[in-house]
Structure formats: structure tokens, C-alpha cells
Amino acid sequence: MLFPTSDEFAKALPAQCRLLGLDVGEKTIGLALSDLSRTIASPLLTIARIKFAKDIEELKKVIVGHSVAGLVIGYPVNMDGSLGPRTQSTRTFVSNLGKQIDLPMLLWDERMSTMAVERAMLEADLSRQRRGELVDKLAASYMLQGFLDSVK
């Protein structure tokens, strides 16, 4: 079920549970996992998108394997606050996801997550290849941490 606000989403969760952050792209889905107290988000992995059914099977494995109780999904709003084609594709993904996975879900503004992560990786002097390997799961972690900080 998709919740309209972070407060409603947070109230629907058990006191101690893990959340999964998703940075949904055209080619990959970056995943991040919170700790049980929902204080810290950590990068988990990146799923290479193949087909929706296969992507969902991979997500289900992660959800079951880590006892995830809710999903925080990055919502790619434009810098000026407008909604573009990527926001529609994310909404479609979430709508289809909701038919397959029965967990509380929240769309979370991810405007600056990828830029912030890329800047940090450049400052750390990571190679282009290494940045490509890490960017999606780090962006998911950055976005999930933003949510966790907002509700603490």
C-alpha cells in the first residue's frame, strides 16, 4: 500500500523493523537497507533490470531475506518541483510493485541523492568504473537516510 505522507507511512510500521530503500532507474535498481531501529541506512546491492517479473523476484528475495517491513522508493522530482517522465515511470513501477508485494510503501523525493553521491565519489577519487558500480546503491542509501532522519 502506497502511503501519501511519511508520517502515515511511519505509523504503519512496527516499532522495530528494517526498511528497504529503492533507487529505481531504467537499467538498475539500487537497494539500501536500514537497521532495525531505523537509524542508519546502508547500501546493499544493485539489481540489473531485466524484465519486471524477474526484477520483482529479486526484490522479493531481498525482502524475505532481510525481513523488510516497508519500502521507501526514490521519487525523481525535477529540480523545480515539476513532475517529468521519470516520475511517471516510477509511479507505474510502484503501482505494479504494489500488486506483487504487500508492504507499506512511500515515495520519497530523491532530487539530490545521485548528485550528492557522485560528488562524494569524485572527491574520493574513485575511478569511473567503480563509481558506476556503486552509484545506484549509494544513492538509495542517501535517499533512505534522508527519510530516516526526517522521522527521528
Side-chain angles (χ1 to χ4, degrees):
M1 173 181 201
L2 184 60
F3 284 82
T5 69
S6 56
D7 287 340
E8 291 175 63
F9 173 74
K11 288 176 186 170
L13 299 169
Q16 294 281 307
C17 70
R18 293 187 192 280
L19 298 178
L20 189 66
L22 283 73
D23 180 33
V24 181
E26 291 178 19
K27 297 179 182 177
T28 61
I29 303 172
L31 302 179
L33 189 66
S34 78
D35 62 333
L36 286 170
S37 66
R38 296 191 310 259
T39 304
I40 298 172
S42 300
L44 185 60
L45 60 96
T46 301
I47 296 173
R49 295 194 66 184
I50 300 167
K51 217 173 149 184
F52 184 77
K54 293 210 181 272
D55 301 344
I56 295 305
E57 287 310 310
E58 287 299 312
L59 275 174
K60 285 179 179 178
K61 288 178 192 174
V62 171
I63 288 166
V64 170
H66 292 282
S67 302
V68 170
L71 305 176
V72 178
I73 302 155
Y75 196 46
V77 178
N78 292 329
M79 289 304 289
D80 64 1
S82 64
L83 306 179
R86 284 193 57 226
T87 55
Q88 182 53 48
S89 109
T90 299
R91 279 202 166 277
T92 301
F93 178 86
V94 170
S95 175
N96 292 331
L97 181 64
K99 295 172 188 169
Q100 302 289 321
I101 296 174
D102 186 26
L103 286 176
M105 291 186 249
L106 177 70
L107 291 172
W108 186 257
D109 187 344
E110 65 159 35
R111 267 182 255 204
M112 301 298 287
S113 62
T114 301
M115 286 180 5
V117 165
E118 286 176 346
R119 186 177 313 121
M121 288 189 297
L122 284 169
E123 289 173 7
D125 201 28
L126 295 179
S127 70
R128 180 178 300 225
Q129 179 181 352
R130 187 70 177 138
R131 290 192 315 262
E133 294 167 2
L134 296 174
V135 69
D136 296 314
K137 65 183 175 182
L138 289 174
S141 179
Y142 185 91
M143 181 268 310
L144 180 57
Q145 189 65 54
F147 166 75
L148 297 174
D149 291 346
S150 79
V151 293
K152 282 290 177 191

